[in-house]
Amino acid sequence: MMNITYGCILLLFASACLASIDAHDFPDKQMQLRHQALIGELRCPQCLNTNLAGSDAMIARDLRREVRRLLMDGKSDNEILSFMYERYGDFVLYTPRLHMGTIFLWFGPLLFFLAAILIFLSIIKNRRKSIRQEVDREELAAILRAHAKDLD
Amino acid sequence: MWARLPVIKNKSLIIPLLLFFSLAALLWRSFSLEDPSLLPSQLLDKPFPEFNLEDLHSSSRIRNANDLLGDVSLVNVWATWCVNCLIEHPVLTRIAQGGVTIVGLNYNDDLQKALAWLDRHGDPYSFHVRDNNGTLAIDLGVYGAPETFIIDESGIIRYRHIGVVTEEVWAEKLYPIINLLRGKSA
């Protein structure tokens, strides 16, 4: 009974997957896997946060077909990504390319991380310095003396 | 102890404040951008992509990019399934009556429906190419309809407008650009 339930749940997902990907035929399994990978990392230009694989938009359907055509033409994965980039820009790639417009996107976090380390180090340094300065030797000696007296 | 912390003397404490303000400025800018769904065109100032597509009205006539040369023109991506195309149609008609060449790119459409649509609503276009597989649309980076491109007389893409061409869009964006381009070519 349990197995049947799980089977049904699986089937639900299976149909969702099949519905979103056109039944394209490929000469070999390898190319089909490459197609799947490519439409997984290309973003649908119309629907703001879905990849080509997961979108039902007309443009996503056309672009999936275009990716297939380019694969059949013997284009490499990189050439296909460039093809899309030349037409749809940074938006279409989930891993944006490195150029002036995306430099902050790539290295901004590193910059913030380095800044955090610098600030952290300077705080530690300052604290050490201020602790050292605050020890008043005479005051300390007086406290120790008083304490010694108490013990006597 | 806290009272003695050198707040102003320690210059490095200004850094987080600066970082905060730069981040705030960045977020302010990105949240006030017009509309995240409007993608910038990759093709601005580049030649109109090559194509060989049937004319909508006569399938034996093949149109190509040379048909766009010689005059500043609008290339309008439209389809019968596109509701907003009907909204901009009267505006395009007025623009064409004003003497601007408009070329239609009939996008992923049914031929009979497209012809019937033009019969019913009028055809202000100089000609239409029939992009039944969306191949030219992909080369143009089109992802919906309507979209309108301004092409100069030597076939270079000068402007892309995504969405409906309203009277305001025409008056404030398209018309000034066309005027500028015509001034240059005259």
Side-chain angles (χ1 to χ4, degrees), chain B residues 53-68:
Chain B
L53 291 170
E54 288 173 12
D55 190 288
L56 187 69
H57 289 290
S58 87
S59 58
S60 57
R61 175 138 195 211
I62 303 297
R63 297 284 187 175
N64 61 39
N66 289 336
D67 291 321
L68 299 171

Side-chain angles (χ1 to χ4, degrees), chain A residues 50-116:
Chain A
T50 323
N51 56 18
L52 287 186
S55 171
D56 269 337
M58 190 179 67
I59 183 65
R61 196 197 61 207
D62 284 357
L63 287 177
R64 285 196 295 267
R65 202 186 48 214
E66 193 70 10
V67 169
R68 176 175 174 272
R69 187 184 68 77
L70 292 165
L71 279 170
M72 300 291 260
D73 281 357
K75 296 276 194 292
S76 74
D77 289 4
N78 239 333
E79 282 170 324
I80 293 172
L81 292 177
S82 294
F83 176 94
M84 293 297 170
Y85 178 75
E86 280 159 24
R87 284 156 183 77
Y88 291 96
D90 283 311
F91 186 88
V92 82
L93 304 176
Y94 268 117
T95 313
R97 304 213 152 163
L98 185 60
H99 58 78
M100 276 315 282
T102 58
I103 210 157
F104 191 72
L105 194 65
W106 276 104
F107 296 108
L110 188 70
L111 221 69
F112 276 98
F113 183 65
L114 289 178

Side-chain angles (χ1 to χ4, degrees), chain B residues 71-88:
Chain B
D71 193 11
V72 178
S73 54
L74 293 180
V75 173
N76 176 248
V77 181
W78 71 278
T80 55
W81 47 260
C82 152
V83 184
N84 287 334
C85 296
L86 198 56
I87 296 172
E88 69 175 5

Side-chain angles (χ1 to χ4, degrees), chain B residues 148-167:
Chain B
T148 304
F149 294 83
I150 299 179
I151 319 294
D152 72 11
E153 81 289 348
S154 47
I156 310 289
I157 298 173
R158 293 301 185 187
Y159 191 76
R160 176 193 194 184
H161 176 75
I162 294 166
V164 177
V165 174
T166 57
E167 292 288 357

Side-chain angles (χ1 to χ4, degrees), chain A residues 104 112, chain B residues 16-31:
Chain A
F104 191 72
F112 276 98
Chain B
L17 193 69
L18 287 179
L19 281 176
F20 168 76
F21 277 117
S22 52
L23 192 65
L26 192 78
L27 291 179
W28 177 266
R29 208 188 94 77
S30 48
F31 284 131

